[in-house]
Amino acid sequence: MASRSGPPFRRIADEIARRIADGELAPGERVPSTRQISREWGVALATATKALTALRLEGLVEARPRVGTVVAAGAAAGTAAAAAAGERAAARPSRRTASGAGSDRELTRERIVRAAVDLADSEGLAALSMRSVAARLGVAAMSPYRYVNSKEDLLLLMADAAFGEERYPAEPPGGWRARLELGARTLWRIYRRHPWLAQIDSLGRPLLVPNLLVHAEWALAALDGHGLDPVTMFDLHVLLYSHTHGLAVHLEREAQAEAATGLTGDQWLDRRAPAFQEITRATGYPVFARVVASLGPAGYDLDLDALFEFGLTPLLDGIAVIVENPPPGRTTG
């Protein structure tokens, strides 16, 4: 292992590598996140990201979307070689690290955006910064600024890339309802793939990125030609979008809560079951108490995917009433 006088990121990487070699961390098991590393070792998030990047480059860990960074298969067998490589890296910087020129010459805006998306997918939006993206790419901290002006600009580029991952068929399915269903499920898949995405916009301040407009165009085209005035068309589009976006917001929030507490949602509820039951008994809400009691020992299983599908059907049923019986024309004036 590297000496205690080595760079902070190298010392952290070597300690995690030791845990893998000793079997404390098994293949497929999550390693500490950037935020956990930051708290445990008292370092900046960028240093934590650099440590995980070093482990990933050495083949000891891998990032899995919506899971985090986990021990790679067969990683324990390679820790001795990785440790030796770490010793050599700590003793003398490589040509690429010394000057940064080799990495920087290969840097592009697309690589920066892809690295940022991968980082947010695996570590969460809180771990994202221009410095942490640079560390993930193995380039100087200021290098990304030559291609992206700020973190805010980077978030827009990330969102545009994410929304652009799905395309619609050139020949749309027949009927407005089938088109809206396809649009809603397409957006849900994108949010499911990138849980952070729903955190960075709101209905009142939508993201002004071209690829999000692709999805809006698809929904509005489905509603076009049915005698609806523009305000009603846009209201229906926003309501359908808010159903998808509103549920997707909780994807990242739950991941953040699990990372902060170390407990899954079910484990968190189990620990608070006595207090919840006490509140239920003490309050004067008999219907709520009866419904909760009727759920049985397993309680209510909050499944966001199932809830999305369950809510989509009655929402489209309500839209059907309006499409089939268009209201009088409305204006914004």
Side-chain angles (χ1 to χ4, degrees):
M1 297 292 176
S3 69
R4 292 186 176 275
S5 60
F9 86 90
R10 187 66 257 172
R11 297 200 303 271
I12 296 167
D14 288 345
E15 170 58 21
I16 295 175
R18 182 198 64 75
R19 296 177 187 179
I20 295 172
D22 291 349
E24 296 177 28
L25 293 170
E29 187 175 348
R30 286 183 64 176
V31 300
S33 68
T34 53
R35 192 161 295 278
Q36 290 170 322
I37 290 173
S38 178
R39 288 197 299 263
E40 182 176 347
W41 276 275
V43 297
L45 288 175
T47 301
T49 300
K50 195 170 183 180
L52 291 179
T53 299
L55 290 168
R56 192 177 72 255
L57 293 175
E58 291 160 7
L60 299 180
V61 303
E62 59 188 12
R64 292 184 185 172
R66 300 183 298 278
V67 174
T69 302
V70 302
V71 178
T79 50
E87 288 280 5
R88 292 193 296 272
R92 66 179 194 285
S94 68
R95 191 181 309 171
R96 287 168 65 92
T97 305
S99 65
S103 296
D104 286 1
R105 276 201 300 269
E106 299 168 5
L107 204 58
T108 63
R109 175 178 285 187
E110 290 72 23
R111 278 193 65 207
I112 293 168
V113 172
R114 186 70 261 165
V117 169
D118 289 344
L119 177 61
D121 285 348
S122 60
E123 299 293 335
L125 198 61
L128 181 73
S129 68
M130 296 292 278
R131 186 177 292 272
S132 64
V133 172
R136 195 175 186 88
L137 289 166
V139 300
M142 299 301 291
S143 295
Y145 285 101
R146 299 208 309 271
Y147 303 87
V148 181
N149 292 330
S150 65
K151 179 181 175 180
E152 288 70 26
D153 288 343
L154 178 59
L155 285 170
L156 289 176
L157 292 169
M158 291 166 61
D160 197 42
F163 283 121
E165 290 177 355
E166 298 271 356
R167 293 297 178 187
Y168 294 103
E171 290 294 328
W176 64 267
R177 182 166 184 142
R179 292 187 67 172
L180 290 183
E181 284 181 342
L182 178 59
R185 292 192 177 110
T186 298
L187 277 172
W188 182 250
R189 280 199 306 275
I190 292 173
Y191 283 126
R192 249 326 197 162
R193 192 180 304 134
H194 305 293
W196 50 269
L197 184 55
Q199 300 291 322
I200 63 176
D201 75 330
S202 65
L203 290 181
R205 302 184 182 189
L207 294 169
L208 300 179
V209 295
N211 281 323
L212 180 55
L213 292 181
V214 170
H215 303 282
E217 175 71 15
W218 178 265
L220 290 172
L223 295 167
D224 196 24
H226 294 280
L228 301 171
D229 63 87
V231 176
T232 300
M233 285 177 61
F234 221 87
D235 278 350
L236 294 177
H237 156 56
V238 170
L239 283 171
L240 187 59
Y241 175 76
S242 67
H243 170 64
T244 308
H245 177 272
L247 288 175
V249 163
H250 298 285
L251 296 170
E252 176 83 348
R253 289 180 181 174
E254 176 56 29
Q256 290 171 346
E258 184 172 338
T261 63
L263 300 172
T264 66
D266 288 341
Q267 291 170 333
W268 186 87
L269 286 172
D270 287 344
R271 290 194 177 190
R272 284 155 179 77
F276 183 74
Q277 291 167 0
E278 180 62 30
I279 293 173
T280 303
R281 285 193 298 267
T283 56
Y285 304 108
V287 176
F288 180 83
R290 174 169 51 80
V291 171
V292 170
S294 300
L295 292 171
Y300 176 68
D301 182 17
L302 178 60
D303 183 328
L304 290 176
D305 293 295
L307 194 59
F308 166 76
E309 287 293 338
F310 176 76
L312 184 60
T313 298
L315 181 55
L316 290 172
D317 288 344
I319 291 175
V321 173
I322 297 174
V323 171
E324 294 164 9
N325 302 277
R330 299 157 63 208
T331 66
T332 58

